[in-house]
Structures are given as structure tokens and as C-alpha cells.
Amino acid sequence: MALLLCGARYLKLPAIATAFSVSSLAGSSRSAFHASSNSRLFSSSPSGSTLTNIGFDEMKEIVEDYEQGGREDSGYLVMDVREYNEVEASGKISPTTQTLPLSIISQQQAFEMDAEEFESLVGFPKPTPEETLVFSCAAGIRSVTAAQWAAQAGFTQLVNYQGGASEWFSVN
């Protein structure tokens, strides 16, 4: 286990969270996103999880796809891992973005829960292994940690919006 200082609290991270690599998107179209070669997220991860860092333009495309097609048609689940009070203060990136605070992910090991327990706790269906999990936070730091927890639970298609809500609301 590694510890991460987050605000005034320390969060326990999975042991694999200490070594990871990321890649950027080659283009801004959705097809380029799916065709891009991703690096393994964790060098010691047996799941082969990858993390793709994206910027504002790519996140805007994903959000548009997600808003138009929902989870099923877009293949994305967009999650904001800021705390509920942060989301209430600034608003959501999109009305369809799900809020799943990092504190719940880490302290209750949300991604390890069965589907019924997950939905009961957070209010939306648990992601499937086929979905691409897109994480956002305030500035792209907690979202990487959330992706690490998801990788530990076996999710393999992971995206981190590096600019976070800070960039989103200043540009959009």
C-alpha cells in the first residue's frame, strides 16, 4: 500500500499505484481515440490496464458522445471523482456525468463491490469491463488515483481528463 495526501486526509492506494505510465491521444476524433495505442497503466498490473490522458478538446468530444448516446451507445462512463460539495459548488461538467467521489472509491473499495451493492451506494449502475471509464476531478490528479483503483479492480479502458473541472469551466 502507498499513501497519498489528499486535502487533510491520507488515502491508501493499491500497491500497483506506485508505477504507471501514460500516453496522449494522437488526434481529437473519437475514432482516433479508440485507435490510439495506449501504454500499460501499471507496470506490475496483471490486468493490462491502460490510461490515456486527454485534454479539453478530447474531453469535449467524449462528453458530446456521452450526452447524445448515453453509456450504452457511446461506450463511455464519465465520472467526476470530486467530493459532492465540490460538484455542488461548481456544477457538473455535464448533466449526464456521474459523481463518484474518490473518498468512496478508496475507502469503500467501490469498484470491488458487486453490481447491486455498487448501485445502491452510488446511485448509478456499476461499470462493465467493456466500458471506457473516463475520470475527471478538479485538476487531473485525483482522477489518476481513481483510475488506479479501477485498474486494481480489473477495468482496463481508462481515461484521465488532465484539465479537470478547473480547465473545463474556465474554457467552456
Side-chain angles (χ1 to χ4, degrees):
M1 283 283 170
L3 294 177
L4 171 71
L5 179 62
C6 183
R9 298 183 301 227
Y10 282 95
L11 301 175
K12 290 182 183 178
L13 299 178
I16 62 169
T18 57
F20 65 92
S21 62
V22 295
S23 65
S24 298
L25 292 176
S28 63
S29 72
R30 184 164 185 255
S31 59
F33 171 75
H34 288 291
S36 69
S37 68
N38 296 323
S39 320
R40 289 212 33 212
L41 176 57
F42 306 106
S43 60
S44 60
S45 175
S47 68
S49 298
T50 58
L51 177 66
T52 302
N53 279 317
I54 61 171
F56 178 82
D57 291 336
E58 294 88 2
M59 185 63 170
K60 189 171 182 176
E61 272 195 46
I62 288 172
V63 167
E64 287 171 0
D65 285 348
Y66 187 62
E67 287 176 342
Q68 291 173 2
R71 284 175 68 173
E72 197 168 304
D73 288 344
S74 71
Y76 298 119
L77 172 56
V78 181
M79 292 177 281
D80 190 329
V81 300
R82 295 178 294 157
E83 296 300 316
Y84 291 114
N85 64 328
E86 293 177 87
V87 175
E88 288 172 13
S90 67
K92 291 182 167 191
I93 287 177
S94 162
T96 57
T97 301
Q98 300 295 338
T99 303
L100 179 56
L102 181 59
S103 61
I104 291 175
I105 294 170
S106 62
Q107 293 168 9
Q108 300 191 30
Q109 297 184 7
F111 291 120
E112 299 287 348
M113 294 177 171
D114 66 38
E116 187 177 307
E117 186 180 12
F118 181 94
E119 188 168 359
S120 175
L121 178 66
V122 301
F124 62 91
K126 183 177 178 179
T128 65
E130 296 78 31
E131 288 179 287
T132 298
L133 307 186
V134 182
F135 295 98
S136 179
C137 62
I141 298 167
R142 286 177 282 180
S143 51
V144 169
T145 304
Q148 292 168 340
W149 282 100
Q152 177 71 24
F155 294 92
T156 59
Q157 299 173 70
L158 308 168
V159 175
N160 174 47
Y161 172 37
Q162 292 180 302
S166 298
E167 178 183 63
W168 186 266
F169 292 116
S170 68
V171 175
N172 212 8

